[in-house]
Amino acid sequence: MTDPTKPIFEEETSLKTDSVYSYFVILFNDSIHEFAYVEDCLMKLCFKTKRDAKKIAIEAHTNGKAICFQGSMEECETVAENMTNAQLTVSFGV
């Protein structure tokens, strides 16, 4: 039986917060490419739906940058390289 006057302490658990999907690719706004081209690249290279691609393109245009892909380090490196080859300005990191 527990004493109701004493606080009950939960056992501390250490949750691993490092996920293999903790890397991001960030798309930066530019004044060179048309929205349709950026949306197409987001759909083809970042595996986004047309709706999500449009949201990301608008966010990058409005805020100067937007997260366009999340995945493992290797996946993000590949996506960032493909986006760069498509002449889009991106970076990736944690």
Side-chain angles (χ1 to χ4, degrees):
M1 189 166 180
T2 58
D3 183 354
T5 60
K6 292 187 179 181
I8 299 172
F9 294 98
E10 291 185 24
E11 215 176 288
E12 281 191 43
T13 58
S14 62
L15 296 175
K16 187 172 183 181
T17 56
D18 294 330
S19 169
V20 294
Y21 300 110
S22 62
Y23 289 84
F24 299 93
V25 177
I26 300 170
L27 171 68
F28 292 92
N29 184 44
D30 66 33
S31 57
I32 301 167
H33 300 95
E34 294 182 8
F35 269 74
Y37 177 74
V38 175
E39 289 173 11
D40 286 344
C41 288
L42 289 167
M43 289 187 295
K44 292 175 187 172
L45 304 175
C46 296
F47 317 106
K48 300 298 179 186
T49 63
K50 180 138 181 96
R51 182 178 185 180
D52 288 340
K54 185 173 190 136
K55 282 183 181 179
I56 293 167
I58 290 170
E59 183 180 345
H61 179 73
T62 304
N63 299 327
K65 62 184 176 181
I67 294 173
C68 63
F69 186 80
Q70 180 178 0
S72 69
M73 184 172 80
E74 293 81 11
E75 290 171 324
C76 288
E77 284 177 339
T78 301
V79 168
E81 183 178 337
N82 291 338
M83 296 283 279
T84 300
N85 290 340
Q87 305 302 310
L88 296 172
T89 306
V90 296
S91 69
F92 83 95
V94 180

